[in-house]
Amino acid sequence: MTLESRILSLTNAVGADVKVLYGKADKDIVTVSLQNTDAQIIRLKPVYKKENGSIGLASDSALTTSKVYGLVYDTSIGNNTFGNIVINGIIDVSESVWLSNLGLNLVAGQQYFLKGSSIDIVPDMTSTAVVRLGTALSSTRFKIEIEEPIIL
């Protein structure tokens, strides 16, 4: 799905507020403010968009939940609150945030996939779907390149 079609699809989402955050050309990111109707979701976790326009924690265990929409941008998004989801661009956070939130040390050039409800370099080939989420550009920078799920 192209960035333009993702933004256009948000115009129909409940409470969608599309923002393009400008920085240096290689750091522009697009965030979307959507409501979380599940338990608290922490920063950098992958989320999917539900039919009602809210978000939930993505998971590779079902086709619906494996359609990753983006990664949580805020420190966390509580139940029944709105939060920012990065759907395009480069996320740049400290190594300690990647490690504490996802248990990851990013490796430049490495591709990352949805694994369970998190991110890893090796997808779970026994799950329902494999979803490529993006590529690490450095130990702190991650380029979002979300692909459609591949059904196993």
Side-chain angles (χ1 to χ4, degrees):
M1 179 181 286
T2 67
L3 173 60
E4 291 79 16
S5 63
R6 290 175 112 178
I7 291 173
L8 286 175
S9 73
L10 291 171
T11 59
N12 296 324
V14 176
D17 180 18
V18 179
K19 300 174 187 172
V20 178
L21 303 178
Y22 293 98
K24 294 181 181 175
D26 67 340
K27 289 189 177 182
D28 291 354
I29 61 173
V30 177
T31 66
V32 179
S33 180
L34 293 174
Q35 185 176 18
N36 173 24
T37 56
D38 290 342
Q40 180 175 340
I41 305 173
I42 62 172
R43 188 174 203 178
L44 304 174
K45 286 286 191 172
V47 295
Y48 74 102
K49 190 172 76 170
K50 299 177 180 182
E51 288 184 24
N52 66 3
S54 66
I55 59 163
L57 185 61
S59 171
D60 62 4
S61 64
L63 179 58
T64 303
T65 60
S66 69
K67 294 180 179 179
V68 177
Y69 199 73
L71 304 181
V72 173
Y73 186 70
D74 298 331
T75 302
S76 67
I77 305 172
N79 183 337
N80 288 321
T81 61
F82 284 82
N84 293 301
I85 309 303
V86 181
I87 61 172
N88 190 59
I90 297 170
I91 296 176
D92 191 357
V93 297
S94 71
E95 291 177 14
S96 63
V97 172
W98 286 103
L99 188 59
S100 65
N101 289 14
L102 299 177
L104 286 178
N105 288 308
L106 293 182
V107 177
Q110 180 68 55
Q111 294 185 30
Y112 288 81
F113 300 86
L114 178 65
K115 185 172 185 178
S117 292
S118 195
I119 300 173
D120 203 340
I121 59 172
V122 180
D124 182 355
M125 299 308 287
T126 64
S127 67
T128 300
V130 170
V131 182
R132 184 175 165 277
L133 301 177
T135 305
L137 302 177
S138 71
S139 62
T140 62
R141 299 176 65 206
F142 184 80
K143 183 175 184 181
I144 295 180
E145 302 167 315
I146 299 169
E147 295 181 356
E148 293 294 318
I150 297 171
I151 308 304
L152 299 178

